Amino acid sequence: KPGEQKHPKEPSSLQCMHLAVVACGDRLEETLIMLKSAVLFSSRRLCFHIFAEDSLKPEFEKKLKEWPSSYTKKFESNIYPITFSVGNAQEWKKLFKPCAAQRLFLPVILKDVDSLLYVDTDVLFLRPMDDIWHLLGEFNSTQLAAMAPEHELPKIGWYSRFARHPFYGSAGLNSGVMLMNLTRIRSTRFKNSLIPGGLTWEEMLYPLYQKYKNYITWGDQDLLNIIFYFNPECLYVFPCQWNYRPDHCMYGSNCRGAEQEGVSILHGNRGVYHDDKQPTFRALYEVIRDFPFEDNLFQSLYYPLQSRFLDTVHTLCGRIPQVFLKQIEKTMKKVYENRVIVYLGANHRY
């Protein structure tokens, strides 16, 4: 309508939601389960950008082709080698976990991609990726990336107690789930502690690493914290249910958003999918891993989850199953309605 205020539009790449991940070492299965969770629940078409060691490329190609056609038609995949455009490649590779620093170079490498969601390999979608993709439309004119806080409570946070470098806000940021407007990142000059006039993203990375490398513990995540410490106006902070980690429940529930809405994206950091320290997280991972693509979601995914959760009630995370199940149940109902009710309605003859 004439004179009506216009809200920011979502990017033109909306037709294809871009999802990036970096996989090295033994992260093949974990990455595939993450991609599986994205495909199971998302509505729009997905474009996977998989950065992997050369030895993993044929395995990714083989495994993705084995998925049923009803799902492979929902995505396209691109597999890239591990490359670093500036600095010493061996230094970047050894920064924190193998190859994790690759994520810092996504704006440089994916020059034709407007926006994307980066996730660590140990992430699981419990609702459509479409829902976090919508947050791109909520960015104001200066925001170019979105992350969740590292902690909800600064008094028990790692950054607020131990960091020896600048970090964002009062508790720092966790970079395991990061929404990025690459076009804005490429066109911005960032304030920093190196040069008063500002630097482009690519110009800034290696000098920033050189300056702080003796003070950082969590590698690329620390560098991102330093960048957004100097450029807080560039960051959109999304709530903890979009990056829900064991820290949000293992000492008692401290993610209010998840309590109210349920977990949207699960982040099983510290290897909790593969040990017995957090059986609730492991149960979700294994049930999604073992779910046959074409089976009924309620019978072969939701009900097994409920059953597995009964075995985790002795843990603090296991005492709040509704936090883990709320979004996944809601999502499955939507999938059911789209596939069954809408289909039947469209084909019903009077």
Side-chain angles (χ1 to χ4, degrees), residues 104-176:
L104 297 172
F105 294 86
L106 297 180
V108 181
I109 297 169
L110 301 176
K111 295 184 184 297
D112 296 327
V113 176
D114 175 69
S115 297
L116 63 76
L117 177 67
Y118 165 87
V119 297
D120 286 348
T121 61
D122 51 8
V123 156
L124 292 171
F125 292 89
L126 304 187
R127 68 189 286 182
M129 182 180 148
D130 311 53
D131 296 337
I132 191 170
W133 191 257
H134 285 311
L135 297 181
L136 287 165
E138 296 186 12
F139 283 15
N140 67 25
S141 59
T142 63
Q143 291 166 338
L144 46 76
M147 286 183 276
E150 171 68 17
H151 266 281
E152 301 307 301
L153 305 171
K155 65 181 180 181
I156 64 169
W158 191 92
Y159 282 104
S160 50
R161 291 184 296 160
F162 304 118
R164 296 186 296 154
H165 58 77
F167 58 89
Y168 180 89
S170 60
L173 300 163
N174 184 281
S175 59

Side-chain angles (χ1 to χ4, degrees), residues 13 16-22 31-40 42 45-51 67 75-80 106 110 113 115-121 123-125 128-130 132-133 176-180 182 265:
S13 57
C16 183
M17 299 184 298
H18 295 268
L19 179 62
V21 66
V22 180
T31 306
L32 288 166
I33 306 309
M34 179 277 291
L35 297 173
K36 181 179 182 181
S37 71
V39 170
L40 279 177
S42 294
R45 184 171 176 78
L46 295 161
C47 289
F48 296 152
H49 300 276
I50 303 167
F51 290 81
W67 290 2
F75 70 88
E76 61 183 69
S77 60
N78 302 282
I79 304 175
Y80 310 83
L106 297 180
L110 301 176
V113 176
S115 297
L116 63 76
L117 177 67
Y118 165 87
V119 297
D120 286 348
T121 61
V123 156
L124 292 171
F125 292 89
M129 182 180 148
D130 311 53
I132 191 170
W133 191 257
V177 179
M178 185 176 180
L179 199 57
M180 307 167 76
L182 301 184
I265 293 180

Side-chain angles (χ1 to χ4, degrees), residues 203-220:
E203 290 170 342
M204 173 176 58
L205 289 178
Y206 193 62
L208 205 64
Y209 165 68
Q210 287 293 315
K211 178 171 182 176
Y212 291 104
K213 65 180 180 180
N214 294 325
Y215 304 99
I216 59 178
T217 302
W218 307 113
D220 50 309

Side-chain angles (χ1 to χ4, degrees), residues 61-74:
E61 292 174 340
K62 177 187 173 186
K63 295 292 184 182
L64 291 173
K65 285 178 182 176
E66 290 174 357
W67 290 2
S69 60
S70 57
Y71 286 93
T72 56
K73 68 182 182 183
K74 291 179 64 178

Side-chain angles (χ1 to χ4, degrees), residues 55-104:
S55 60
L56 293 179
K57 181 178 179 179
E59 288 296 311
F60 273 115
E61 292 174 340
K62 177 187 173 186
K63 295 292 184 182
L64 291 173
K65 285 178 182 176
E66 290 174 357
W67 290 2
S69 60
S70 57
Y71 286 93
T72 56
K73 68 182 182 183
K74 291 179 64 178
F75 70 88
E76 61 183 69
S77 60
N78 302 282
I79 304 175
Y80 310 83
I82 303 296
T83 55
F84 304 97
S85 61
V86 294
N88 185 300
Q90 292 306 313
E91 276 189 286
W92 285 122
K93 280 186 178 181
K94 294 176 182 177
L95 183 64
F96 193 47
K97 293 181 181 178
C99 307
Q102 179 71 78
R103 151 253 304 273
L104 297 172

